[in-house]
Amino acid sequence: MATPRRLQVNESASISVVRFKDQKIIDPVAIQELGQELFDLIEKDDRKKIVLNFDNVEFLSSAALGKLITFEKKAKRTGAQMILTNISPEIYQVFAITNLDKLFKIKDSEADALAVL
Amino acid sequence: MSATPSSDERSLQVSLPSSLESYHGFIQSILEHLEELGWKSSDLFAIHMALEESISNAIRHGNKEDPAKRVAIECEISSIRFWIRVCDEGAGFDPKAVPDCCDPDRLEVPGGRGLALMQAYMSRMEYNDRGNCLTMEKSLSAASSSPCRCD
């Protein structure tokens, strides 16, 4: 995988732990790049277990939510498991308002996610 | 407008180009001003969301990023009240025709969440009849509307 601009990816056993470099995920170009880097994880690199750690994320737009939903669908199609972690209360509220807390598997911490993957 | 104006109320009018790269400075200036007026971080988050979604919708869906069209914004802010009207030059739309993003059968549809977020975070939100002008208000003295939750 080329060096990602929007993501920081660490391998832990067979699990890819992904952090977002942007604190505010708003810019349409950034969202497009971020989405492609996520898609590459499963479509090019064949990663099957992914943790998305949101500890650096302070704000995200509905366009970013849309990209995460597309990623979730692609992951499901390729048989990859994905868990979201370290979501701040304000960001969690965004997921709850839009019912996406029911679509995504969410754990409090990275350790909680690693324990079940 | 439903709230009584306070003495520290300021109003402004701006015209933004139809570019998705053009409006973040405006949003930042509004948020900084509200912070100076004492708005707490959770309210600033809510207003940030409403500004982001309303202006990006006007540029993307209303004006279709046509450089010949503008987004007209009127805004009134005080220590207790945030009010904004965002108008694009598009044909308008019927917000009632937008599918409910909370519908369990539509959870995997990528779009359509901006309206639900604005509705949840603002005290009041309404479109004009044509559907090209959105008016929103958040008043600290009024109870917030119920979030757009379907459960």
Side-chain angles (χ1 to χ4, degrees):
Chain A
M1 175 180 190
T3 303
R5 278 164 46 88
R6 302 295 172 184
L7 304 177
Q8 177 193 328
V9 183
N10 294 312
E11 296 299 319
S12 175
S14 61
I15 302 171
S16 301
V17 178
V18 178
R19 285 185 172 78
F20 300 91
K21 292 181 180 176
D22 294 307
Q23 290 181 310
K24 296 179 180 179
I25 307 176
I26 305 169
D27 177 71
V29 173
I31 291 171
Q32 188 65 27
E33 291 179 353
L34 180 154
Q36 192 56 55
E37 290 175 15
L38 286 173
F39 301 162
D40 285 350
L41 284 174
I42 52 175
E43 293 177 338
K44 288 187 177 173
D45 303 338
D46 201 29
R47 309 281 170 83
K48 294 297 185 191
K49 296 179 178 180
I50 297 167
V51 175
L52 296 184
N53 185 324
F54 281 74
D55 63 356
N56 190 45
V57 179
E58 296 176 355
F59 187 89
L60 81 179
S61 67
S62 67
L65 292 178
K67 200 59 79 176
L68 290 172
I69 293 164
T70 302
F71 180 55
E72 191 272 344
K73 289 164 71 175
K74 286 177 181 283
K76 194 178 285 179
R77 272 205 298 274
T78 60
Q81 298 178 70
M82 166 179 136
I83 298 179
L84 281 53
T85 72
N86 299 78
I87 299 176
S88 71
E90 286 172 337
I91 298 290
Y92 189 87
Q93 190 181 21
V94 172
F95 282 89
I97 287 167
T98 51
N99 260 7
L100 292 176
D101 55 335
K102 295 178 176 57
L103 177 67
F104 294 114
K105 193 168 187 179
I106 298 174
K107 294 286 184 185
D108 288 343
S109 70
E110 206 175 288
D112 291 343
L114 294 175
V116 298
L117 278 174
Chain B
M1 287 168 263
S2 59
T4 305
S6 63
S7 59
D8 58 0
E9 185 161 294
R10 289 190 193 175
S11 61
L12 72 157
Q13 297 183 343
V14 295
S15 170
L16 297 173
S18 294
S19 160
L20 291 167
E21 284 78 43
S22 69
Y23 62 88
H24 295 108
F26 168 74
I27 290 180
Q28 198 56 39
S29 68
I30 294 289
L31 294 175
E32 285 171 4
H33 191 59
L34 288 167
E35 189 172 17
E36 287 168 9
L37 288 168
W39 287 67
K40 62 181 193 288
S41 63
S42 58
D43 291 319
L44 294 175
F45 185 96
I47 291 169
H48 189 176
M49 184 64 75
L51 287 166
E52 171 63 35
E53 297 298 331
S54 60
I55 298 172
S56 65
N57 276 353
I59 293 171
R60 195 192 312 262
H61 303 301
N63 288 349
K64 303 190 186 308
E65 300 184 54
D66 180 347
K69 294 179 177 176
R70 309 283 296 186
V71 175
I73 295 176
E74 294 174 70
C75 188
E76 295 174 2
I77 54 180
S78 75
S79 57
I80 59 167
R81 179 174 164 272
F82 164 81
W83 178 92
I84 191 166
R85 177 172 291 147
V86 180
C87 294
D88 60 60
E89 297 185 64
F93 80 113
D94 178 4
K96 294 188 184 70
V98 176
D100 179 7
C101 69
C102 295
D103 183 338
D105 293 334
R106 295 185 58 83
L107 284 185
E108 292 198 341
V109 177
R113 287 174 173 75
L115 290 181
L117 288 166
M118 290 187 284
Q119 181 83 47
Y121 282 120
M122 292 289 102
S123 309
R124 185 172 71 89
M125 166 185 156
E126 61 186 24
Y127 277 91
N128 64 350
D129 290 343
R130 177 173 146 186
N132 71 321
C133 282
L134 170 62
T135 303
M136 297 184 290
E137 181 174 326
K138 187 170 186 64
S139 174
L140 293 184
S141 57
S144 294
S145 59
S146 299
C148 173
R149 295 290 300 269
C150 47
D151 55 352

